[in-house]
């Protein structure tokens, strides 16, 4: 019989893998082999019909990171304007927005920018769940693997406002979809904690919508 997985360590990993923005170490290089080790784990994730259509573009070139930074900031500007006009949604959400603004400022200084891609394009919204369900588990596995090695990341997508320009910059074919952009770096400190969330009993329904367990 195989030894059981360490539940305590697993639970700690799952509950403390945060979207890291302010605590990315911008000055410490990330070794190529560390990224590849994390991707080796990521591609063990399930994928629709076992197509294994994931592709990963890792950008470390300084000039290309600078250009990606321009596209990212441009894509995020409209969102930030809308957020600035909206009413505050509480201290935690305000901190998230502040950290997002910070990441916009320094995105081009992050040692590695990872763009997860998947072969194909969405032509029918009915296929969207299965299509992105074939890349999202691998992205999350990649982020968990990074966390276990002392690195941080954040799932971002501002650059997708300029997807075509990004594709041209990086030579991504037109029949390949970019799913996200992950800034990757070692973290400053390791004292990450679970985030504040609503009790799961309030958001879990049994047998029909809105039916809570009594």
């Amino acid at each position: 019989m195989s030894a059981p997985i360490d539940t305590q360590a697993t639970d700690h990993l799952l509950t403390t893998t945060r979207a890291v923005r302010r605590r990315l170490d911008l000055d410490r290089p990330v070794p190529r082999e560390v990224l590849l080790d994390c991707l080796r784990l990521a591609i063990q994730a399930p994928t629709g019909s076992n197509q294994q259509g994931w592709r990963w573009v890792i950008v470390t070139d300084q000039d290309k990171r600078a250009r990606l930074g321009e596209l990212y900031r441009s894509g995020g500007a409209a969102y930030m304007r809308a957020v600035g006009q909206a009413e505050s949604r509480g201290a935690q959400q305000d901190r998230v927005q502040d950290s997002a603004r910070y990441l916009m400022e320094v995105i081009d200084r992050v040692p590695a920018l990872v763009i997860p891609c998947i072969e194909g394009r969405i032509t029918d919204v009915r296929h969207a769940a299965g299509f992105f369900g074939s890349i999202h588990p691998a992205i999350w596995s990649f982020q968990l693997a990074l966390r276990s090695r002392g690195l941080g990341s954040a799932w971002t997508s501002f650059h997708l406002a300029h997807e075509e320009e990004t594709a041209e910059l990086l030579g991504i074919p037109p029949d390949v979809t970019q799913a996200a952009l992950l800034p990757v770096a070692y973290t400053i400190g390791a004292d990450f904690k679970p985030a504040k969330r609503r009790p799961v009993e309030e958001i879990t329904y049994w047998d029909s919508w809105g039916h809570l367990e009594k």
Side-chain angles (χ1 to χ4, degrees), residues 99-214:
S99 67
R101 291 187 183 91
Y102 170 79
L103 183 59
M104 285 176 61
E105 295 173 1
V106 303
I107 188 74
D108 54 305
R109 295 175 54 199
V110 178
L113 302 178
V114 179
I115 300 181
C117 301
I118 186 166
E119 294 180 324
R121 305 290 295 185
I122 284 290
T123 57
D124 188 327
V125 69
R126 293 175 295 179
H127 302 153
F131 182 78
F132 286 107
S134 291
I135 181 65
H136 286 176
I139 298 174
W140 183 233
S141 291
F142 178 63
Q143 292 184 281
L144 291 171
L146 291 169
R147 163 72 174 138
S148 73
R149 288 159 172 78
L151 291 94
S153 62
W155 191 312
T156 74
S157 58
F158 285 162
H159 79 294
L160 290 177
H162 302 287
E163 184 191 13
E164 291 184 1
E165 293 95 325
T166 301
E168 182 178 358
L169 174 68
L170 302 177
I172 299 173
D175 60 346
V176 170
T177 299
Q178 302 168 48
L181 185 153
L182 310 177
V184 174
Y186 283 97
T187 59
I188 300 172
D191 55 333
F192 295 99
K193 301 176 182 178
K196 184 177 180 180
R197 298 286 191 255
R198 290 178 61 183
V200 70
E201 291 81 6
E202 294 181 2
I203 58 173
T204 304
Y205 307 138
W206 297 86
D207 298 321
S208 60
W209 183 267
H211 187 265
L212 302 174
E213 186 180 35
K214 301 299 184 182

Side-chain angles (χ1 to χ4, degrees), residues 20 23 29-30 36 38 41 44 50 59 62 66 77 94 101 108 118 132 137 152 155 164 166 168 175 190 204 210:
V20 183
R23 293 173 61 180
V30 177
L36 292 176
C38 292
L41 296 170
Q44 292 296 318
N50 197 31
V59 183
Q62 184 173 353
D94 288 346
R101 291 187 183 91
D108 54 305
I118 186 166
F132 286 107
W155 191 312
E164 291 184 1
T166 301
E168 182 178 358
D175 60 346
T204 304

Side-chain angles (χ1 to χ4, degrees), residues 13 16-17 27 40 48 53-54 59 61 81 133 135 161 163 177 192:
L13 175 67
T16 62
T17 301
D27 299 316
R40 288 187 184 99
W54 337 268
V59 183
D61 177 83
R81 284 195 296 270
I135 181 65
E163 184 191 13
T177 299
F192 295 99

